Amino acid sequence: QVQLVESGGGLVQPGGSLRLSCSVSGVTLAGVAIGWFRQAPGKEREAISCITTSQRTINYLDSRFIASRADAENTGYLQINNLNPDDTAVYYCAIKRGTTVCSSSFRWYNYRGQGTQVTVSS
């Protein structure tokens, strides 16, 4: 059974940083790309970034978001710098078994985590 579990969210002050983790079980992470998404209250879910199996990153937002991966740990990471209140959202990771490519569509991925809440407030 494939499972993705995000962690590392929380309450952070504007200007702060967080590193989110995506721990994957049931599949070897080395063979798949990892997508990151977020959904703010009352807004559509949006793509943030994707990292391929060859460590190439595709950024759909801005350079404050840095995706990385540690395949030996079966874990993906999303570093978020200089957080602002507009970054308040639930953050998700996702993978699609059997492919190494990325997509900006959350529905395209067939395994997704439950999300971790990030709240940016003073």
Side-chain angles (χ1 to χ4, degrees):
Q1 183 180 359
V2 178
Q3 286 189 320
L4 283 68
V5 178
E6 301 92 341
S7 61
L11 175 64
V12 63
Q13 291 188 341
S17 298
L18 280 177
R19 188 175 81 155
L20 307 183
S21 299
C22 174
S23 179
V24 179
S25 60
V27 65
T28 300
L29 194 60
V32 297
I34 308 167
W36 286 94
F37 298 81
R38 71 180 183 182
Q39 187 165 22
K43 295 186 178 180
E44 296 288 319
R45 186 177 286 115
E46 61 180 346
I48 301 171
S49 184
C50 182
I51 182 165
T52 68
T53 55
S54 58
Q55 302 278 355
R56 185 173 74 95
T57 57
I58 301 170
N59 206 324
Y60 300 108
L61 289 182
D62 58 61
S63 59
R64 297 182 298 118
F65 300 90
I66 304 169
S68 61
R69 59 193 298 153
D71 290 342
E73 300 168 3
N74 239 39
T75 301
Y77 300 98
L78 182 69
Q79 175 75 30
I80 314 174
N81 298 318
N82 194 23
L83 283 151
N84 63 69
D86 289 339
D87 294 319
T88 295
V90 179
Y91 285 71
Y92 303 87
C93 60
I95 62 172
K96 184 167 185 173
R97 205 166 185 177
T99 180
T100 60
V101 301
C102 289
S103 173
S104 61
S105 168
F106 191 68
R107 291 184 180 181
W108 180 82
Y109 294 88
N110 55 5
Y111 295 102
R112 313 172 191 95
Q114 293 300 307
T116 184
Q117 175 72 46
V118 172
T119 301
V120 184
S121 175
S122 55

